[in-house]
Amino acid sequence: MSSRKNRYPYQAALIFGVPGAGKGTQGDILTVVPGFYHLSSGVIFRKLDPQSPDGRIIREYSARGELVPDEVTVRVFLNWLEAQRAARRYQPSEELLLLDGIPRNVNQCEMLQKYIDVKLLLHFVCHDEEAMIERIRRRAALENRVDDADESVTRRRFEVYHRETQPVLDFYSEGVVREIDSMQRPAAVLRDCLKSLVPVIEDCYPVD
Ligand code: ADP
């Protein structure tokens, strides 16, 4: 019999902010800390076979810097999440899900409401978008991403963020939102994330 704790909704924290704010860097660090499980929708999308029907749609939208349609996004994400859980890589009774890149608009928040219980939203605040664009330019040289290579696509992603993603901040109650200064060095960003995350895991997964 599966434990009650393994059923929906899964307890989650969202890592939220403009492209280039360093969400993936922090997610990669935190996922090696016991108690956290990081999933990035962008990373999931890039792992799909680009020749598959979903892979083709995803590539088409992301190459333009636009959001992939919500039905495809949520279905691919939930399938991936369940596969990780079934393989016991993600253990909902012990690990806080750290989501990066999803939900990315208010409709996705509504579609995911019954699957995830958002305990915390870490808002990576950045007052210098040109610095973020510069970070993405440097990353393009390292990562071979279709959406990083062309600066007009990068700028389009910022427009889409302001128009479609920023309203997600108002969907969740103010009490779960914490602002993190993403212009700091990665170690300082990590310290600030942990200050908010540790009390959440202590509360969600008490030691017997
Ligand atoms: P970044 O945060 O640097 O813009 P991501 O790796 O999170 O990049 O996403 C890359 C692209 O994948 C996005 O520009 C978008 O096309 C697509 N994508 C990722 N997550 C979502 C989502 N939740 N909804 C719709 N499209 C998404």
Side-chain angles (χ1 to χ4, degrees):
M1 204 178 74
S2 69
S3 126
R4 236 180 76 71
K5 281 184 178 166
N6 276 338
R7 300 218 196 104
Y8 295 129
Y10 299 146
Q11 288 161 325
L14 308 184
I15 310 181
F16 192 85
V18 287
K23 302 173 301 246
T25 302
Q26 296 300 323
D28 288 346
I29 299 170
L30 287 164
T31 206
V32 300
V33 180
F36 299 105
Y37 188 80
H38 172 235
L39 270 187
S40 149
S41 51
V43 170
I44 295 172
F45 285 175
R46 286 188 286 282
K47 284 185 181 162
L48 287 192
D49 173 1
Q51 305 306 330
S52 66
D54 285 339
R56 237 180 265 170
I57 296 173
I58 287 167
R59 198 180 156 89
E60 182 197 319
Y61 282 88
S62 52
R64 291 203 300 260
E66 285 170 16
L67 294 191
V68 173
D70 296 335
E71 185 277 324
V72 178
T73 296
V74 170
R75 177 168 45 75
V76 168
F77 166 73
L78 288 174
N79 281 343
W80 191 280
L81 180 64
E82 279 315 299
Q84 302 307 303
R85 192 190 59 77
R88 295 180 172 272
R89 282 190 282 268
Y90 162 51
Q91 314 236 30
S93 59
E94 295 165 21
E95 290 171 324
L96 184 69
L97 198 51
L98 288 177
L99 295 182
D100 163 5
I102 188 165
R104 214 171 178 108
N105 61 24
V106 169
N107 190 42
Q108 291 179 14
C109 295
E110 285 163 355
M111 291 170 81
L112 288 171
Q113 222 170 358
K114 67 169 184 262
Y115 301 100
I116 56 169
D117 177 12
V118 175
K119 299 287 183 193
L120 186 69
L121 187 158
L122 295 169
H123 178 199
F124 281 32
V125 177
C126 131
H127 301 294
D128 183 356
E129 287 193 2
E130 289 306 315
M132 300 295 112
I133 289 172
E134 179 52 32
R135 280 187 187 176
I136 291 170
R137 198 179 293 135
R138 271 184 272 130
R139 178 171 79 184
L142 300 171
E143 289 185 12
N144 198 23
R145 274 176 55 168
V146 285
D147 55 343
D148 276 356
D150 178 342
E151 192 163 316
S152 66
V153 173
T154 303
R155 292 191 184 273
R156 176 111 189 85
R157 277 152 60 202
F158 278 84
E159 282 166 34
V160 168
Y161 175 85
H162 291 302
R163 196 183 57 236
E164 300 190 43
T165 307
Q166 216 158 294
V168 165
L169 283 173
D170 297 322
F171 181 87
Y172 297 106
S173 87
E174 250 175 65
V176 302
V177 178
R178 301 281 182 285
E179 296 204 337
I180 307 279
D181 175 3
S182 66
M183 295 304 289
Q184 305 177 94
R185 68 185 76 208
V189 175
L190 177 64
R191 173 197 59 208
D192 292 352
C193 289
L194 284 170
K195 258 189 221 162
S196 296
L197 285 166
V198 173
V200 173
I201 58 168
E202 284 175 336
D203 185 45
C204 290
Y205 314 102
V207 182
D208 298 324

